[in-house]
Amino acid sequence: MNQTFYNLDKDKQERIINAALLEFAENGYEKASTNRIVKCAGIGKGMLFYYFKNKKELYHYLVEFSLDTILSEFFDKIDMNETDFIERLRQIARIKFEFNKRYPNVLSFLANIFIKEESDISRDLKQRHEKVMQMGYSMLYENIDTTLFRSDVDPEKAFKLIRWSIEGYQNELINHFKQQNLVTTNMDPYWDEFYDYLEVLKTIYYTDRKE
C-alpha cells in the first residue's frame, strides 16, 4: 500500500475505508466493484489505485484494518473485571453500538469473510481472523460468576438464552434505525428500555438478590 494514504486527512481516509468495507461486505471479493467504491467515496478511480496497487491489496488492507480496529476500539474497552454475565453484556452492547456508529461496516465485513469463507485471503490473515473471533467469543464468558444463577438453571443454557434475547433486541433496533441518522437521534429512551429488559432477564435467571 502507498504510504501517502496515511497522509490523507482522517475524513477522506474513513470515506474510502467505509465505502470499500460496504462494497466487500455486500458483494464479497469476487463481485465487489472498485467503480462503486470510488463513486461512494467520492474519489477518482486512479486515486484508489494510487493508494492501493489492486483490489486484492485493498481487500487485505481492509481485513487488517478491521481486525486492528476491533481489538483497539472494541475489545480493549470491555471491562473483564465485571463478573455478572448480564452486566458484561450490557457494557458490550453499549460499546458495540458506539463502535458501529463510527465504523458502520467493519463487523458486517468480517462476518461476510467468516460466513462465505472467502478464498482471497492469505493463510496468516485467516488465522489471525480466527484468533480475533475466538477472543471475542471467550470475552463473553471469561471470569463470569455462575453462582449468580438460580440453582435450578443450567448456566450454559442460560448464557445462550440471554445472549439470544439481547442480540434479538439489538437486531430489532438496527432494523428500526437503518434509515435514520444515529448521530442526531436521542437514544436515551431506547437504552432505558434495554436496561429494563436486562432487569427482567435477571429476575428470570438469577437468584433473589434480596436474600
Side-chain angles (χ1 to χ4, degrees):
M1 186 189 72
N2 192 320
Q3 291 299 308
T4 56
F5 179 72
Y6 291 116
N7 296 329
L8 295 173
D9 64 79
K10 288 296 182 182
D11 286 343
K12 191 169 185 179
Q13 276 189 40
E14 289 188 5
R15 260 201 343 266
I16 295 170
I17 289 169
N18 284 328
L21 285 170
L22 178 62
E23 179 63 22
F24 284 118
E26 290 186 342
N27 299 292
Y29 177 80
E30 291 296 335
K31 295 181 179 179
S33 165
T34 53
N35 288 328
R36 286 194 293 264
I37 291 172
V38 296
K39 183 178 180 180
C40 181
I43 63 170
K45 193 168 186 177
M47 291 307 298
L48 182 66
F49 290 117
Y50 175 69
Y51 302 132
F52 303 94
K53 291 179 184 177
N54 48 45
K55 187 166 83 167
K56 179 170 283 191
E57 185 176 83
L58 170 62
Y59 190 67
H60 280 201
Y61 166 79
L62 293 173
V63 176
E64 292 182 340
F65 169 83
S66 297
L67 295 175
D68 289 341
T69 304
I70 278 186
L71 289 172
S72 63
E73 301 295 325
F74 194 151
F75 290 176
D76 281 356
K77 295 185 177 181
I78 298 173
D79 179 11
M80 296 302 292
N81 293 317
E82 176 56 74
T83 59
D84 182 320
F85 183 63
I86 291 176
E87 288 300 317
R88 172 94 51 96
L89 288 178
R90 181 204 294 258
Q91 59 156 309
I92 288 174
R94 194 94 191 208
I95 294 167
K96 183 179 179 181
F97 180 81
E98 294 301 324
F99 181 88
N100 274 324
K101 277 206 300 186
R102 185 172 180 187
Y103 307 101
N105 304 307
V106 163
L107 295 178
S108 57
F109 170 73
L110 289 176
N112 190 66
I113 293 173
F114 179 77
I115 293 169
K116 294 189 176 179
E117 297 183 343
E118 295 280 14
S119 59
D120 293 277
I121 306 176
S122 67
R123 177 180 291 182
D124 288 345
L125 279 180
K126 281 185 178 180
Q127 290 176 343
R128 188 174 175 224
H129 175 258
E130 289 172 3
K131 286 181 180 178
V132 170
M133 294 303 102
Q134 288 170 2
M135 183 187 302
Y137 186 78
S138 68
M139 291 180 87
L140 284 174
Y141 306 108
E142 184 180 321
N143 196 34
I144 292 297
D145 182 5
T146 56
T147 64
L148 293 172
F149 291 98
R150 285 170 26 200
S151 59
D152 59 343
V153 169
D154 180 344
E156 293 300 320
K157 289 184 172 63
F159 285 153
K160 290 182 179 179
L161 289 168
I162 293 168
R163 184 165 53 84
W164 291 339
S165 298
I166 291 174
E167 287 176 354
Y169 179 77
Q170 287 179 319
N171 290 334
E172 188 175 298
L173 280 186
I174 289 169
N175 289 329
H176 177 73
F177 288 119
K178 197 165 280 185
Q179 303 302 323
Q180 297 186 38
N181 184 350
L182 291 178
V183 176
T184 59
T185 300
N186 179 16
M187 292 300 299
D188 288 344
Y190 299 95
W191 284 119
D192 290 342
E193 182 182 45
F194 175 61
Y195 296 151
D196 286 343
Y197 285 135
L198 294 185
E199 290 303 313
V200 172
L201 289 174
K202 287 185 179 183
T203 300
I204 295 171
Y205 294 106
Y206 283 4
T207 58
D208 187 347
R209 286 162 286 165
K210 294 179 181 178
E211 291 180 356

